Amino acid sequence: MTVGERVIFLIDCQSFYASVEKAARPELKETPVAIGDPERPSGIILAACPLAKGRGVTTAERVFQARRKCPELVVIRPRMRMYIKLSLFITKIYEAYTDQVEPFSIDEQFLDVTGTLHKYGTAEELARNIQNRVLVSTGVWTRVGIGPTKILAKTATDNFAKKREGGVFRLGYDNLEQELWPLPIHQMYMVAGRMTRHFMRMGIQTIGDLARLELGDFKRRMRYEMGKQSDIKAEYYWQVARGIDPSAVKAGIRPGKHKSISHGKTLRASLYRKLEDIEVVLLELVVEVCRRARKYGVMGQVIFVGAAETDGERGNSFGRQITLPQPTSLTHEVAEVAQELFRRHWSGLPVGHLTIALDQLTADDTYQLTLFDNRPKLYAMERTIDQIKDRYGSDAILRASSLYEAGVARERAGQIGGHFI
């Protein structure tokens, strides 16, 4: 590292969910393991250990497909509460080395070790020290990307550390051109399939092809390919290719002011063809959005409804919103508007995804009284229901419609982040 540069780590837990389960079951050490629902062949694989990946098992494929590739595969139901607990424990380990620890996801965290590195030697020595401590404490192997910026640390992890036996790699401005720039453009951070195709049409095949362009020239190419509104996106990708990232590591998870509250659900489209079935889930999403709004002490004046439709051959999606005369977080008021929005814009195809959101949030400590509704009484009733759910679980009180076969609220009550706890 150059004198004056920051030293930032991005530490990734290898196959985190699967690693946690294998550490808890030593008898599975030499067995290919994947995380999913073993009772649902059509469910997806959430994570796979290196042994399973070596036999062709991939994340997000169906359980039955994974078992075809690897008949000896052991599929374990996810335990999200345990994974969250272990993730927080690992954060505590990192905080023993520096107070600048920023969670990036459940299995990835940024560390700024600039101020404490002198206690441990080189950056690589410190990385190996942390790896060993996490492994001994949890049974989880970690990979460490090292860089002077967060984007270079992240890139070092994803493109290099994960592929090296020791799991440590440093990517700085001194080896950027040699190590990063020869890689194909699709391996650059935040470049997916559609963006790759745009770059290919512009003649940009490697990360270096982009990085060597002058910013003005790249912006002109982006405008020609993607329109006048692409300047901000062009500057972002140009900076990523050169490892430029002024953002600092921010300690902890800092809850900011809520700008929007939303809730979505992916559905089996083949089961949600009828309006009455779709509206059951729609209402359940509204219930959760309004409950969270009341928890945060806010109301929304804009209601958004989004849906993705498909019958296997045709596909359609829409997102529509409407502004209310006054903000609200009362379930029946939001549900009435959300259902009307959906009915108005639904094409009739089976629905594979639904989203509800409340926008333009304001504090709920004051609200407009009406002649026909006793709003203080309605809010008091809803908050009483919220308290019962907080104490006894989300399924302690359910709307009768959730007892229909189309309802998903009972199943989700036993999950965290859509997965069983």
Side-chain angles (χ1 to χ4, degrees), residues 139-156:
V140 175
W141 177 244
T142 56
R143 288 78 62 87
V144 186
I146 306 168
T149 64
K150 289 167 72 175
I151 192 64
L152 283 179
K154 171 68 173 167
T155 300

Side-chain angles (χ1 to χ4, degrees), residues 15-22 25 32-38 43-49 52 57-61 63 73-80 83 419-420:
S15 306
F16 183 53
Y17 299 169
S19 294
V20 171
E21 298 298 347
K22 293 191 78 165
R25 298 169 171 83
V33 168
I35 306 303
D37 189 341
I44 64 170
I45 298 294
L46 299 176
C49 74
V57 178
T58 60
T59 301
E61 73 176 335
V63 171
L73 183 69
V74 174
V75 180
I76 299 175
R77 195 178 192 183
R79 298 184 294 162
M80 297 307 297
Y83 307 149
H419 305 298
F420 290 98

Side-chain angles (χ1 to χ4, degrees), residues 25-57:
R25 298 169 171 83
E27 69 276 10
L28 296 179
K29 181 179 179 180
E30 302 301 328
T31 303
V33 168
I35 306 303
D37 189 341
E39 304 301 322
R40 290 182 58 198
S42 62
I44 64 170
I45 298 294
L46 299 176
C49 74
L51 282 175
K53 289 178 180 178
R55 289 166 169 76
V57 178

Side-chain angles (χ1 to χ4, degrees), residues 1 7-9 123-124 127 144-148 152-153 156 168-172:
M1 292 289 183
V7 182
I8 296 173
F9 290 177
E124 288 82 358
V144 186
I146 306 168
L152 283 179
V168 177
F169 190 85
R170 184 190 65 82
L171 185 63

Side-chain angles (χ1 to χ4, degrees), residues 29 44 49 123 125 161 203 222 225 236 272 365:
K29 181 179 179 180
I44 64 170
C49 74
E125 287 172 337
M222 285 283 282
E225 175 70 22
Y236 171 78
Y272 291 89
D365 50 0

Side-chain angles (χ1 to χ4, degrees), residues 200-227:
M200 288 296 183
R201 285 195 290 268
M202 287 186 274
I204 298 173
Q205 298 185 354
T206 69
I207 298 175
D209 290 342
L210 195 165
R212 292 185 181 94
L213 292 173
E214 293 297 326
L215 179 57
D217 183 19
F218 181 51
K219 283 185 176 180
R220 284 190 292 273
R221 295 190 188 199
M222 285 283 282
R223 288 184 203 130
Y224 182 81
E225 175 70 22
M226 302 182 66

Side-chain angles (χ1 to χ4, degrees), residues 239-283:
Q239 289 184 350
V240 169
R242 293 185 169 216
I244 300 170
D245 180 7
S247 62
V249 174
K250 297 180 180 179
I253 305 172
R254 302 183 179 183
K257 183 178 179 181
H258 295 281
K259 297 181 179 180
S260 175
I261 294 176
S262 63
H263 201 52
K265 176 65 179 175
T266 299
L267 306 168
R268 295 187 194 179
S270 60
L271 302 180
Y272 291 89
R273 300 172 176 272
K274 299 178 181 178
L275 180 62
E276 56 264 33
D277 291 334
I278 298 167
E279 287 190 333
V280 169
V281 180
L282 197 67
L283 177 57

